[in-house]
């Protein structure tokens, strides 16, 4: 005899909600079909608070993001910054960016205990990391044929982050798997806004360095780190002997930023944008608008 389906109007214990269960929100029933996974660097980690669901009335597939709270510290140079999850902040960004094509869309429902459950539309496409990986070609060909268009799309995506900053919000977790390259339109769409951070000295600093990481990834097509450079002499030859600590990231000391030393055809103008995020920089970007301005100047020079 088949067990009766369980129905949850209180999502506080999200670990107990499994595939086949139902979630009841504001009179709407959602069938849980599984859990989302964090897919980075070939590793898949289940996100137990993020459920794949089907809205029973419409049959539409959606993502239900349940309230989950965590905090940790990270470093930006010498600064220690507290990061934490805030479902309420993500709810407010969803409201601010309703119908904006550069952001994931969704509606927030309080459950029976007041937990803020965000029911999200699925953005169809590959994340930026997988998208670049799918472009199988030599770097020089990628640089000449694909990168200019990618940088133009990134300028639009960075302008969307500027909208958040203008309203006092931070994305909070800018990285290359939090941009989805939408399959149909080719538009770059931001997802996952529930992280926030405390950085009174530079309120948007982590967002700006996240943008820097995306640019470094885009120009290099991958991240090139010191381990790769030391151990793969077939690809990197004697590069390790020509590098200095200032050539690496201020945020990730093993990550190469000075890509012109690896790819001499990277123009100085573009490489200088990247070097704002290096350990050797004396000038950092103060706003996303400054990054967009410099990128726009480079693109106009092509």
């Amino acid at each position: 005899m088949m067990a009766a389906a369980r129905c949850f109007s209180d999502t506080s214990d999200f670990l107990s909600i499994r595939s086949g269960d139902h979630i009841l929100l504001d009179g709407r029933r959602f069938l849980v079909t599984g859990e989302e996974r964090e897919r980075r660097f070939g590793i898949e980690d289940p996100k137990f608070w993020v459920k794949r669901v089907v809205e029973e009335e419409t049959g539409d597939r959606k993502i239900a993001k349940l309230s989950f709270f965590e905090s940790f510290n990270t470093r930006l140079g010498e600064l220690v910054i507290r990061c934490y999850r805030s479902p309420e902040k993500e709810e407010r960004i969803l409201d601010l960016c309703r119908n904006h094509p550069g952001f994931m869309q969704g509606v927030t429902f309080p459950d029976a205990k007041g937990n803020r459950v965000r029911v999200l539309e699925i953005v169809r496409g590959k994340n930026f990391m997988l998208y670049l990986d799918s472009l199988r070609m030599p770097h020089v060909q990628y640089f000449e044929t694909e990168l200019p268009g990618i940088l133009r799309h990134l300028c639009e995506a960075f302008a969307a982050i500027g909208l958040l900053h203008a309203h006092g919000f931070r994305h909070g977790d800018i990285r290359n798997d939090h941009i989805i390259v939408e399959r149909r339109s080719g538009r770059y769409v931001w997802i996952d806004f529930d992280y926030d951070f405390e950085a009174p000295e530079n309120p948007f600093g982590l967002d700006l360095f996240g943008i820097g990481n995306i640019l470094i990834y885009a120009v290099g097509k991958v991240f090139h780190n010191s381990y790769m450079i030391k151990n793969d002499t077939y690809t990197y030859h004697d590069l390790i002997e020509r590098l200095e600590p200032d050539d690496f990231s201020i945020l990730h000391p093993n990550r190469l930023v000075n890509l012109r030393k690896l790819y001499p055809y990277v123009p100085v103008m573009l490489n200088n944008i990247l070097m704002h995020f290096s350990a050797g920089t004396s000038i950092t970007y103060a706003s996303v608008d400054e990054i967009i301005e410099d990128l726009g100047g480079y693109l106009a020079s092509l």
Side-chain angles (χ1 to χ4, degrees):
M1 183 174 180
M2 186 176 294
R6 301 184 303 168
C7 186
F8 290 80
S9 58
D10 174 6
T11 62
S12 302
D13 184 11
F14 55 76
L15 287 172
S16 68
I17 302 174
R18 300 187 293 271
S19 182
D21 293 337
H22 293 81
I23 298 174
L24 183 64
L25 300 168
D26 194 32
R28 300 163 70 170
R29 291 174 67 94
F30 298 88
L31 170 66
V32 178
T33 61
E35 291 158 343
E36 281 293 284
R37 293 178 176 272
E38 195 84 77
R39 297 175 177 88
R40 302 188 76 201
F41 310 117
I43 300 172
E44 293 191 4
D45 291 322
K47 299 170 74 172
F48 296 109
W49 67 99
V50 185
K51 310 293 183 180
R52 295 195 299 270
V53 299
V54 175
E55 185 170 2
E56 293 206 328
E57 183 176 349
T58 64
D60 292 340
R61 296 183 179 276
K62 298 182 184 292
I63 301 294
K65 203 168 182 181
L66 311 183
S67 288
F68 172 47
F69 301 93
E70 66 172 342
S71 65
F72 61 91
N73 291 331
T74 190
R75 286 187 174 273
L76 181 55
E78 297 299 317
L79 295 176
V80 177
I81 298 173
R82 177 177 173 267
C83 303
Y84 58 93
R85 287 191 187 272
S86 172
E88 292 79 11
K89 173 249 190 178
E90 185 165 67
E91 174 184 356
R92 293 169 66 195
I93 290 180
L94 287 170
D95 290 343
L96 171 69
C97 299
R98 193 159 320 282
N99 298 320
H100 190 299
F103 296 95
M104 73 179 187
Q105 299 293 301
V107 179
T108 304
F109 298 101
D111 71 6
K113 294 294 184 180
N115 296 300
R116 315 307 293 179
V117 179
R118 287 129 290 149
V119 177
L120 307 171
E121 304 293 332
I122 298 172
V123 183
R124 308 287 181 181
K126 294 179 179 178
N127 70 45
F128 188 63
M129 178 172 60
L130 295 177
Y131 175 72
L132 291 196
D133 187 58
S134 72
L135 301 175
R136 300 302 177 91
M137 62 187 71
H139 184 271
V140 65
Q141 181 184 355
Y142 162 80
F143 188 86
E144 293 173 352
T145 63
E146 302 293 334
L147 184 61
I150 288 169
L151 292 179
R152 290 186 178 95
H153 279 298
L154 285 176
C155 280
E156 292 181 359
F158 298 161
I161 296 298
L163 171 68
L164 296 188
H165 291 181
H167 286 82
F169 291 111
R170 298 168 283 244
H171 181 287
D173 197 14
I174 290 179
R175 59 192 212 204
N176 52 33
D177 59 336
H178 284 167
I179 301 175
I180 304 297
V181 180
E182 200 170 43
R183 185 178 302 130
R184 289 186 176 178
S185 68
R187 184 180 293 275
Y188 291 15
V189 181
W190 293 105
I191 63 170
D192 285 3
F193 327 127
D194 59 337
Y195 267 127
D196 209 349
F197 53 87
E198 296 174 351
E201 297 86 355
N202 186 351
F204 305 111
L206 279 184
D207 272 8
L208 298 180
F209 273 90
I211 286 173
N213 282 333
I214 287 173
L215 284 174
I216 294 162
Y217 192 86
V219 176
K221 200 171 179 288
V222 295
F223 288 131
H224 300 273
N225 61 52
S226 56
Y227 177 84
M228 296 161 62
I229 296 167
K230 287 177 183 176
N231 291 281
D232 183 0
T233 54
Y234 178 81
T235 300
Y236 297 100
H237 306 290
D238 65 343
L239 177 61
I240 194 65
E241 299 172 11
R242 297 183 281 112
L243 295 178
E244 303 172 358
D246 286 356
D247 293 323
F248 291 86
S249 167
I250 190 173
L251 200 59
H252 303 281
N254 292 320
R255 184 174 294 168
L256 182 65
V257 173
N258 191 354
L259 292 175
R260 188 171 161 82
K261 285 193 173 181
L262 174 59
Y263 301 120
Y265 47 82
V266 174
V268 172
M269 189 176 186
L270 178 58
N271 201 64
N272 283 346
I273 297 173
L274 305 184
M275 293 302 288
H276 282 76
F277 304 98
S278 72
T281 188
S282 58
I283 302 174
T284 58
Y285 285 113
S287 71
V288 66
D289 290 341
E290 293 180 355
I291 300 174
I292 294 170
E293 181 179 3
D294 282 358
L295 270 178
Y298 167 69
L299 290 168
S301 74
L302 298 180

